[in-house]
Amino acid sequence: MDERPQQGIESLRDADILCIASANWDAALWTNSQHLMSRLARTNRVLFVESLGLRRPSVRWRDVYRVAGRLWNWARGERPVSGNLTVYSPLLIPLYNLPWVRELNFWLLRNSLSRVARKRGFRRMILWTFLPTSSDLVGHLGESLSVYHCVDEYGANPGVSAGVIQDMERKLLGKADLVFTTSPSLFEGKRRYNPNTHYLPNVADAEHFRKAMIEETPVPAEAAALRRPVIGFVGALSGYKIDFPLLLHLADARPDWTIALVGPVWPGERRRELEELRRRPNVRLFGARPYAELPGWIKAMDVCIIPFAINETTVNVFPMKFHEYMATGKPIVMTDLPSVTEYRDYCRLASSPEEFVRAVEAALEDDGRGVEERLRVARRNTWETRIERIEEIVEAYGRSDPFPPKRAVPRGRIGIDARKIHDYGIGTYIRNLVWELSRLDREREYVVFSYPEENLSWGENIRTEPDRSPKYSIREHISLSRKMRRHRIDLFHSPHYVLPLFHPCSAVVTVHDLIHIFHPPSRAAAAYARAMMTAAVRSASRVITVSEASRDDLVRRLRVDEKKVKVIYNAVEDRFHPIDGEAAREEVARRIGVEGEYVLCVSNFLPHKNLNRLIRAFGLLRKEGYEGRLVLAGGDPERAPDLIRETERLGLEGEVLFPGFLPADFLPSLYNAARLFVFPSLYEGFGLPPLEAMACGVPVVVSATRAIEEVVADAGVRVDPESEREIADGMLRLLGDDDLHRRYAAAALRRAGRYSWRRTAELTLDVYREVLSHG
């Protein structure tokens, strides 16, 4: 039950703020939570609750030390920092993957935080949280307003239970009154779940960092002794954010430069790469330095850098140090992060190590003409201006009705055929579409038809109806039609090309491709597919397909009215994202016995997948000296004896591996451990496997066929699938050039980020609404 009072907060003056912070108060580097709350405490009372954590601690000394520190802080109780700000460390168990632990944590936190808030005399409180692990608390602390301040894509952080954290965050997004985000991608991602989402990029303490320009500001002796020019970074040396290979390249490319790194080594660091950096004579690691000294350190630098890696975490962050650097007037060189696009005129962006070196060279020649512009932008982006904007948002929300009446239940009961939920491509489509609809359209009722043994569980608005009719049978046309009448279905959606011939309601059909017409397993299959597709696209009110290429095939081959066809792209599941490569390789070795480097293809073994040519192309690759293996996963090798014979004929036994069909939970590790993904299919309607590989940050070699080109675009190497030589050369390009490999990996990750199952469901729901309104 929501325990919040009916009266909302109308201003950020004399309010009581309970802040669930993302860090401890005395952390070496301050985050958003400390900067904001220290300033809000000037006009409000603040209870600063130290980080609840995200990941399960390990037995490493660093984590043991952190747990001991946490217990010590808890034992200290409430710690006044100033007249208006108190710090508190609650007791909890950081095992968020266990449901019973989450329940226990909720009980512990609700009782301890309620007790402390009452003791401090808090009334009409604002719950201001920076962490998704606090989702259960919203509505249970007597708050008048809840704010989720999202500064990171927490589910992508290393060491966390990604699925659990993402579920908790979605729950928090659904319950929070206001959501603040610090990067454009976070804004786009979170506003899907909460319309009161606002984009507020990170800012800086401009007055503090402006001291770098003042003659009186002292330069630390260690910094003053450095050989010029000094290329400097101030911030945490975090293993999942910092591109250590880039720093090594920078140091090796210009040994006459001094690379100064000022900041703590964060949990998740890459020890080997850090040791490599320490061995470079022109690289100096100074560790964490007091906040008061940082302007002096930056004063000693000729160029300030932000050498972030490109991954799921960094593409969603806006580095706080950007505006800190801006406030010093120093030239800035950084990785080309999407979040800083609007500020690209004030810094130099680089997409590769070579570009980074050239950008630093250009920055060293900066004659100072951009200093005033950088200072002007910095003055507009301070914590004071940020708080002013936050106050405007809170006051505007307070003037609105914080508890609007519920909307009327929308018209239309929708039925969806989910009997193919375990098919690879179509099953992925069904599973994600229904899941997103269950959260997106909570007030309309859905009936999902599935086999009784599936025992599917969706949201409260999803009913499952068992149906035993076999796929591609006469019986399905009778059984599904009868059940549509029984359940008074207003709109039926068939997620593949078979639509019951006698449907008693409006219908939508998804035709993913025309593979059964272009590459049929038999003449009978081709005749059946053509008959069923033709009947479906003619009787359906709307036809959904998954690419412009498939739309053109439908219009050209089946004479479908193009105005009737809606292109809605497939997407990639959240579980496909970059993970630690070494951990992925260990899991691959443990589960399927593959060790060392390999090229991967995930596919069924149908003829149009073109795997015979891929095996022959791999044979050419081996002749060029490649020592890795080829892993062909996803199909049963016993049903593809021609592939086995081709492998034996070329003498590639033991080099081409057939692990068979693999469980879904293993695929992210299989992709992440691969050096390269190759997909030479002769025909696709969309092509999910390359997109899954790209979402894991793996570069891809794909067929230059229309649908795949449409999905992959320039983020992959495209080859003629009918040329074994060209397939081999495409693989060789990426395997033989580390810089090119890195560029394509980064491009793949960016491209995959454009595809969202949430967006797929939103567009599909638009089609449902149109059909229900107009037929």
Side-chain angles (χ1 to χ4, degrees):
M1 185 183 73
D2 195 325
E3 301 167 5
R4 290 179 288 185
Q6 294 297 302
Q7 187 177 9
I9 295 288
E10 295 181 357
S11 73
L12 270 179
R13 303 281 169 168
D14 299 318
D16 298 320
I17 302 173
L18 192 157
C19 170
I20 308 292
S22 56
N24 289 349
W25 177 257
D26 56 359
L29 293 177
W30 268 23
T31 65
N32 253 288
S33 49
Q34 291 106 320
H35 280 295
L36 271 175
M37 293 303 141
S38 64
R39 288 165 173 80
L40 285 171
R42 297 168 186 169
T43 56
N44 304 275
R45 291 190 298 174
V46 175
L47 177 61
F48 186 94
V49 181
E50 295 190 312
S51 174
L52 307 182
L54 290 165
R55 65 181 182 88
R56 180 174 60 186
S58 68
V59 295
R60 295 186 306 172
W61 279 112
R62 182 187 296 274
D63 281 358
V64 172
Y65 177 78
R66 289 178 64 203
V67 170
R70 184 56 182 257
L71 289 172
W72 167 247
N73 283 341
W74 169 71
R76 293 164 67 190
E78 303 144 46
R79 291 134 48 204
V81 173
S82 67
N84 276 350
L85 193 146
T86 301
V87 175
Y88 177 67
S89 257
L91 186 66
L92 77 164
I93 305 171
L95 300 174
Y96 296 107
N97 57 316
L98 301 176
W100 69 269
V101 172
R102 294 199 296 273
E103 287 294 324
L104 177 59
N105 282 338
F106 166 68
W107 183 84
L108 290 170
L109 288 168
R110 184 183 66 176
N111 286 284
S112 63
L113 296 182
S114 296
R115 175 185 57 79
V116 176
R118 283 196 304 271
K119 183 178 176 182
R120 306 298 299 176
F122 276 23
R123 303 177 186 278
R124 295 183 61 227
M125 183 172 63
I126 300 174
L127 174 61
W128 196 312
T129 178
F130 288 82
L131 288 181
T133 46
S134 62
S135 60
D136 288 339
L137 292 173
V138 178
H140 292 277
L141 293 175
E143 72 272 16
S144 297
L145 179 74
S146 57
V147 176
Y148 174 36
H149 205 133
C150 180
V151 303
D152 212 340
E153 192 63 70
Y154 295 106
N157 288 2
V160 306
S161 300
V164 173
I165 296 300
Q166 288 163 355
D167 286 344
M168 295 177 85
E169 183 178 58
R170 287 167 187 156
K171 184 177 180 181
L172 176 57
L173 287 164
K175 295 164 71 176
D177 296 313
L178 293 171
V179 177
F180 300 146
T181 58
T182 55
S183 75
S185 55
L186 287 176
F187 171 69
E188 290 298 330
K190 308 314 172 190
R191 71 170 177 169
R192 301 170 186 170
Y193 304 95
N194 191 313
N196 286 319
T197 298
H198 302 266
Y199 170 47
L200 301 173
N202 281 328
V203 289
D205 186 347
E207 282 302 308
H208 179 65
F209 284 92
R210 193 178 64 85
K211 295 173 185 176
M213 302 189 66
I214 299 174
E215 185 176 349
E216 292 78 13
T217 300
V219 173
E222 292 169 285
L226 294 174
R227 185 179 65 177
R228 309 292 290 270
V230 177
I231 315 304
F233 170 76
V234 177
L237 294 177
S238 169
Y240 66 98
K241 285 187 178 179
I242 299 300
D243 190 340
F244 288 112
L246 170 59
L247 287 174
L248 287 167
H249 180 88
L250 194 65
D252 292 339
R254 294 303 301 267
D256 53 320
W257 294 348
T258 297
I259 314 298
L261 307 175
V262 181
V265 175
W266 224 242
E269 76 284 5
R270 301 183 181 185
R271 294 187 182 277
R272 273 178 270 177
E273 290 168 331
L274 273 170
E275 289 306 315
E276 283 292 317
L277 278 172
R278 287 191 175 100
R279 282 196 284 269
R280 298 299 193 273
N282 61 330
V283 177
R284 298 289 305 279
L285 279 73
F286 292 100
R289 296 298 163 128
Y291 186 70
E293 290 184 9
L294 295 183
W297 281 94
I298 298 176
K299 184 177 179 179
M301 297 172 184
D302 297 290
V303 175
C304 297
I305 61 173
I306 304 178
F308 275 17
I310 297 293
N311 55 44
E312 190 179 359
T313 295
T314 58
V315 297
N316 288 293
V317 301
F318 188 104
M320 192 183 300
K321 58 185 62 59
F322 177 79
H323 282 304
E324 292 174 348
Y325 289 164
M326 291 281 282
T328 69
K330 295 281 184 175
I332 303 167
V333 175
M334 63 182 296
T335 310
D336 190 358
L337 296 178
S339 58
V340 296
T341 300
E342 62 183 298
Y343 297 102
R344 63 187 310 120
D345 292 340
Y346 309 105
C347 62
R348 289 176 172 84
L349 303 177
S351 299
S352 70
E354 293 79 11
E355 286 184 19
F356 207 96
V357 173
R358 290 194 294 271
V360 173
E361 288 173 341
L364 286 170
E365 297 175 2
D366 192 311
D367 59 5
R369 284 180 296 181
V371 172
E372 283 304 318
E373 283 296 298
R374 288 193 283 271
L375 294 176
R376 182 177 57 80
V377 173
R379 285 192 292 270
R380 292 203 312 262
N381 291 276
T382 67
W383 289 112
E384 286 67 33
T385 60
R386 176 60 66 246
I387 288 174
E388 287 175 6
R389 177 62 184 137
I390 289 173
E391 287 178 338
E392 291 173 3
I393 294 170
V394 170
E395 290 170 8
Y397 183 82
R399 289 192 295 270
S400 66
D401 183 359
F403 297 96
K406 286 192 173 182
R407 293 169 291 168
V409 176
R411 172 183 172 269
R413 179 177 292 166
I414 298 172
I416 300 176
D417 183 3
R419 293 172 304 138
K420 291 174 72 71
I421 198 166
H422 291 301
D423 287 26
Y424 178 68
I426 293 176
T428 300
Y429 174 79
I430 296 169
R431 186 171 57 252
N432 286 281
L433 177 63
V434 177
W435 172 247
E436 293 294 345
L437 287 171
S438 72
R439 295 179 295 171
L440 186 66
D441 190 22
R442 296 178 185 273
E443 295 173 340
R444 185 182 275 108
E445 188 176 5
Y446 289 80
V447 180
V448 174
F449 301 97
S450 64
Y451 291 125
E453 58 272 16
E454 298 292 355
N455 194 28
L456 301 175
S457 178
W458 308 101
E460 293 181 359
N461 60 327
I462 308 286
R463 294 172 52 191
T464 56
E465 171 63 24
D467 187 277
R468 297 182 181 276
S469 58
K471 294 172 282 189
Y472 307 115
S473 68
I474 295 175
R475 181 177 164 188
E476 68 181 335
H477 293 273
I478 300 169
S479 176
L480 290 173
S481 295
R482 187 173 65 245
K483 287 175 181 175
M484 287 181 218
R485 289 190 182 91
R486 182 192 305 166
H487 290 282
R488 299 179 182 178
I489 300 297
D490 298 295
L491 185 151
F492 181 78
H493 183 185
S494 175
H496 66 120
Y497 68 79
V498 177
L499 179 64
L501 295 173
F502 308 104
H503 46 87
C505 59
S506 299
V508 172
V509 62
T510 299
V511 180
H512 296 262
D513 52 52
L514 272 64
I515 191 67
H516 288 92
I517 293 176
F518 292 144
H519 297 275
S522 66
R523 290 184 179 179
Y528 176 83
R530 179 177 285 276
M532 288 296 102
M533 280 188 201
T534 301
V537 298
R538 287 181 180 174
S539 66
S541 298
R542 296 292 183 275
V543 177
I544 295 172
T545 193
V546 295
S547 65
E548 295 290 344
S550 286
R551 183 191 68 84
D552 292 347
D553 288 341
L554 284 166
V555 172
R556 187 178 70 254
R557 295 299 294 265
L558 298 183
R559 302 287 188 262
V560 184
D561 181 357
E562 61 181 309
K563 294 179 182 177
K564 192 178 185 178
V565 183
K566 174 73 172 178
V567 175
I568 303 176
Y569 289 111
N570 286 330
V572 64
E573 294 175 286
D574 292 342
R575 61 194 175 95
F576 294 105
H577 58 81
I579 60 177
D580 180 70
E582 187 172 344
R585 287 187 289 273
E586 288 176 359
E587 185 173 3
V588 169
R590 176 172 55 83
R591 294 183 69 161
I592 62 174
V594 177
E595 297 182 350
E597 186 173 301
Y598 62 87
V599 172
L600 175 66
C601 177
V602 175
S603 169
N604 61 46
F605 289 173
L606 293 174
H608 74 278
K609 297 297 185 179
N610 204 28
L611 299 184
N612 266 317
R613 281 198 183 94
L614 174 56
I615 292 170
R616 291 195 287 272
F618 183 73
L620 296 175
L621 196 65
R622 294 285 295 186
K623 289 179 181 179
E624 297 284 350
Y626 180 63
E627 297 180 355
R629 295 176 174 179
L630 173 64
V631 176
L632 298 180
D636 184 356
E638 293 184 3
R639 297 188 178 183
D642 57 320
L643 299 181
I644 304 299
R645 285 195 298 269
E646 191 66 17
T647 301
E648 293 170 348
R649 184 183 70 80
L650 295 172
L652 295 174
E653 303 97 317
E655 310 304 328
V656 178
L657 307 177
F658 299 89
F661 184 81
L662 299 171
D665 66 340
F666 175 52
L667 285 177
S669 292
L670 185 69
Y671 283 124
N672 271 276
R675 177 68 175 167
L676 180 69
F677 184 85
V678 59
F679 198 70
S681 179
L682 297 171
Y683 175 82
E684 295 290 328
F686 184 83
L688 272 175
L691 191 62
E692 291 170 348
M694 292 162 66
C696 293
V698 179
V700 298
V701 175
V702 295
S703 303
T705 53
R706 281 199 59 207
I708 297 178
E709 284 187 322
E710 190 177 329
V711 173
V712 175
D714 293 328
V717 174
R718 293 170 288 179
V719 297
D720 179 357
E722 298 187 10
S723 168
E724 294 150 17
R725 181 70 262 173
E726 195 165 326
I727 297 170
D729 287 344
M731 292 188 286
L732 194 61
R733 279 184 64 197
L734 293 177
L735 293 169
D737 187 333
D738 288 344
D739 289 337
L740 190 66
H741 186 279
R742 269 195 299 272
R743 287 204 296 274
Y744 271 102
L749 200 59
R750 288 194 295 269
R751 181 73 182 180
R754 298 175 58 178
Y755 296 91
S756 157
W757 281 116
R758 180 74 173 191
R759 182 60 177 158
T760 299
E762 288 172 345
L763 293 173
T764 304
L765 185 56
D766 288 344
V767 172
Y768 294 168
R769 289 170 176 149
E770 181 186 359
V771 172
L772 288 168
S773 299
H774 307 293

